[in-house]
Amino acid sequence: MSTLRLEIVTPERKVYEKDVNMVVVKGVAGELGILPHHIPLVTPLKVAPVKAKIGNTNEFIAVHGGFIEVRKDKVVILAEAAELESDIDVSRARMAKERAERRLAQKQADINAHRAEMALQRAISRLETAGDK
Ligand code: ATP
């Protein structure tokens, strides 16, 4: 089975680098499945888990926005923050989710609501990636 190299990078570190068979991401325009030899593209991503298929297994990485760049046989994801399934602190994400929900329920100024909404999305995506639904 042919592969492509997937790299996930944040300003702090390289979170992931592996040869995979397929990458599935949530772009702003919808879900994208990328196989080897996909046409080159660059598109922004939503806050959502990224799925890497390797043989019969799927690996999930929580990717918090950023961009995906599809090159010839390489896919690079650049994001503000990203965590492997195994690196996610589930209780921290649960607390962040509750905090964000509380802030949203208080209906403060718009800018705070936006911040809380983004924090909520990150927490939900982390919990989904870690398989805690
Ligand atoms: P919190 O309110 O818990 O800090 P946050 O969404 O505000 O969550 P970010 O600003 O997205 O956190 O991330 C800050 C750093 O902490 C990043 O390096 C990110 O990878 C890491 N991080 C945040 N939440 C978690 C978590 N639940 N498990 C593992 N790493 C996390």
Side-chain angles (χ1 to χ4, degrees), residues 1-120:
M1 214 187 300
S2 62
T3 60
L4 55 85
R5 170 61 53 122
L6 171 62
E7 268 184 42
I8 301 178
V9 184
T10 71
E12 277 136 38
R13 66 199 174 99
K14 191 175 278 184
V15 174
Y16 190 93
E17 183 173 26
K18 263 189 205 181
D19 290 324
V20 307
N21 301 118
M22 187 182 186
V23 184
V24 182
V25 298
K26 227 177 239 174
V28 287
E31 195 166 82
L32 271 171
I34 296 143
L35 293 163
H37 314 298
H38 192 285
I39 51 158
L41 71 84
V42 176
T43 191
L45 294 178
K46 286 189 175 168
V47 173
V50 166
K51 182 162 85 178
K53 291 193 89 170
I54 306 170
N56 289 328
T57 62
N58 292 325
E59 292 185 354
F60 292 91
I61 308 101
V63 172
H64 309 295
F67 288 83
I68 184 168
E69 183 186 1
V70 181
R71 302 183 197 160
K72 208 162 173 267
D73 267 318
K74 186 172 181 176
V75 171
V76 181
I77 293 174
L78 290 163
E80 265 307 303
E83 302 97 32
L84 300 179
E85 205 171 336
S86 54
D87 288 339
I88 292 173
D89 180 337
V90 170
S91 58
R92 178 174 166 180
R94 281 199 196 125
M95 283 192 289
K97 180 169 177 273
E98 280 166 21
R99 204 164 48 238
E101 282 168 344
R102 260 199 320 275
R103 285 190 180 134
L104 286 170
Q106 283 169 4
K107 291 206 179 67
Q108 294 170 339
D110 278 3
I111 191 142
N112 289 343
H114 177 71
R115 237 177 99 178
E117 185 55 53
M118 295 311 291
L120 180 60

